[in-house]
Amino acid sequence: MSTTLTGAPVSPGRAADVVVTMPAPVPEPPEATVAESPSEIDAAVGRLTAASEAVTERLGALADAATGTAAEVLAVTAAMAADPTLAADAERRVRESRLTPERAVWDAANALAAQLEPLGPPLSERARDVRDVRDRLVAELTGVRPPGVPSPGHPFVLVAEDLAPADTATLDPESVVAVVTSGGGPTSHTAILARALGIPAVVAVRGADDLAEGETVVVDGGVGTVVRDPSAEQVEAARRAVRVERTFDGTGRTADGHRVELLANVADPEGAKAAVAAHAEGVGLFRTEFCFLGRDTEPSLDDQVAAYRGVLAEFAGRKVVVRTLDAGADKPLPFVTADDEPNPALGVRGLRTAVAHPEVLDRQLQAVADAAAAENADVWVMAPMVATTGEARAFAEACDKHGLARSGAMVEVPAAALRSRWVFEHATFGSIGTNDLTQYAMAADRMLGDLAELSTSWQPAVLELVRATCEGARANARPVGVCGEAAADAVLAPVLVGLGVTSLSMTPRALADVAAVLAEVTFARCRELAQVALEQPDAGAARDAVRRELAGVLEPLGL
Ligand code: PEP
Ligand code: MG
């Protein structure tokens, strides 16, 4: 008898395969010693050397077999494993203190990581690689499963509590056919990466921790289900539904030709290239933090100009919406944010940092203006975390001073959505950040898997705020896009368009699915679907009702 587990659907598509679970963290070895005889000590050193060679070789092979970011991450770890410093220190600890090889590796790696950590990036980032090598060596020496995404040599459904950024970097879409997690939310790392790679994923699945190694499951990342003990027909049907590879033709529109600009979210020049390859019409959200994060001091004007030009250069003649620095909360920056706020998500973040540090915003706007003058993109600028009309006005004035005519406001605070008519007297366009708007509307931390059902933009309350934002913008004849993760949900897209959104900005990978769904529905139908969603009692009901209405569209598209 099959049973169905449910969770939050975060990346569409169906898959059926065996479960492979993420290994448990490698336990700290006890502080044990080996016997005092020279032969025992030599044997311990021998085991250490053998483990070190085996781990280096295996990492090298994994790096060679991987592609893209996974290959880069693994190559760095392999180089770290091959570096003799760690092995030499561990050997010294075995010989001098008679520590077991696993304890010697543990202590040696921790000492090395502690030296690297205070040195600042990029050296401090190597501390993580040292710990990764430590765990792999200890696993080899003690016979437990090595850390990281397993490579069993066949396709599988990866089941984990949640995935860390380093794990997600080594996720290979060729072998991981679906991802199921017990934690995480719709805007967690796992969700964002699975969508970017096009891997079906369901997060915050109740009962996922009970899934056993090797059992077959059917995962539906569009509806959020994991079927245990599936029938042969269910497995067959899921395998047949292997996602059709689609491409976006570069013009978003509904079946009756109503234009909906389909844009990309990018964070660096590499992302801009991926967006161009996916035929994005432009960039709807350029997150500029990449040039600030991991630094103790503000980047110079010249550094910023060069960094922004790298993205603008890819989009000559097309729109690029640059978001000014969104420091604070999950992105602390020592030169603009405090590290002792009791509630950082409700603290001095985004545009609010410009009150105490107007010069940082000023320099960034100058850099954007200079980069825009040097390139041919159509540059728009917007501020994160606008809450009041006064903030929208102050930002528009700051942009004016730098000759940036297209200045806008991100709507991610419910207050701005409710006061949209006034905000858009100053902001010349809007972009709804549904990740934060949902977090603040539902009072649900966007990173908490336990709150996944609250943390979805399918919540009718969030849809109401989207509607209110669009209404106020329309009254001032301003365009409004969505640039949060909701824009990448192909089923939600017609609802957002029906609520009045004029553009959608998403991970490039989602463009083709969103375009395909929009091309099948008229604008009038989008408005009906928006109404259907708004009338539901909760997020699950809204999603189910719209999916039912769209069944004839979604089924043939494999969504
Ligand atoms: C959002 O909040 O929806 C958004 C796009 O901004 P970020 O995810 O960078 O906070
Ligand atoms: Mg945000």
Side-chain angles (χ1 to χ4, degrees), residues 40-274:
E40 286 287 340
I41 291 180
D42 283 345
V45 170
R47 289 209 290 133
L48 184 64
T49 312
S52 171
E53 282 167 7
V55 166
T56 307
E57 196 177 316
R58 199 163 318 121
L59 278 169
L62 282 175
D64 288 346
T67 52
T69 324
E72 282 166 32
V73 171
L74 287 164
V76 170
T77 319
M80 185 64 74
D83 184 337
T85 325
L86 181 62
D89 187 22
E91 178 174 340
R92 186 183 58 78
R93 288 166 194 264
V94 174
R95 293 201 183 280
E96 288 177 9
S97 313
R98 292 197 293 112
L99 291 178
T100 60
E102 54 272 24
R103 185 67 209 188
V105 163
W106 187 268
D107 289 349
N110 288 353
L112 181 55
Q115 279 170 16
L116 291 168
E117 239 144 24
L119 301 179
L123 283 175
S124 56
E125 284 152 19
R126 295 284 81 82
R128 197 195 63 215
D129 302 321
V130 170
R131 289 201 193 88
D132 188 15
V133 170
R134 173 197 73 188
D135 290 349
R136 287 171 191 275
L137 285 169
V138 171
E140 179 73 22
L141 285 159
T142 56
V144 303
R145 290 173 74 201
V149 177
S151 315
H154 55 76
F156 61 99
V157 172
L158 179 64
V159 175
E161 188 190 325
D162 199 5
L163 298 176
D167 301 324
T168 51
T170 56
L171 215 59
D172 178 6
E174 295 291 315
S175 51
V176 180
V177 300
V179 174
V180 172
T181 63
S182 54
T187 52
S188 63
H189 256 293
T190 306
I192 292 171
L193 193 96
R195 261 194 301 274
L197 293 174
I199 302 175
V202 189
V203 301
V205 176
R206 252 169 258 215
D209 293 334
D210 300 333
L211 290 168
E213 198 76 15
E215 74 169 288
T216 296
V217 290
V218 170
V219 180
D220 190 328
V223 291
T225 52
V226 179
V227 180
R228 301 185 77 173
D229 293 320
S231 65
E233 293 78 55
Q234 285 173 307
V235 171
E236 224 3 75
R239 293 208 165 128
R240 258 200 322 271
V242 167
R243 307 224 309 129
V244 195
E245 275 306 317
R246 271 183 283 277
T247 47
F248 170 42
D249 69 7
T251 308
R253 50 176 120 56
T254 60
D256 55 335
H258 174 81
R259 278 282 280 131
V260 182
E261 259 184 318
L262 297 183
L263 308 160
N265 291 355
V266 310
D268 52 28
E270 198 185 316
K273 287 193 175 71

Side-chain angles (χ1 to χ4, degrees), residues 265 285 287 289 323 326 330-331 349 410 412 432-437 446 483-485:
N265 291 355
L285 169 62
R287 291 183 165 104
E289 290 79 37
R323 176 177 76 180
D326 187 23
D330 56 327
K331 312 173 195 105
R349 59 165 299 198
M410 278 191 81
E412 32 190 7
I432 307 178
T434 44
N435 307 338
D436 278 314
L437 186 62
R446 62 192 261 190
C483 65
E485 290 301 311

Side-chain angles (χ1 to χ4, degrees), residues 328-340:
D330 56 327
K331 312 173 195 105
L333 278 184
F335 50 93
V336 279
T337 58
D339 58 8
D340 56 354

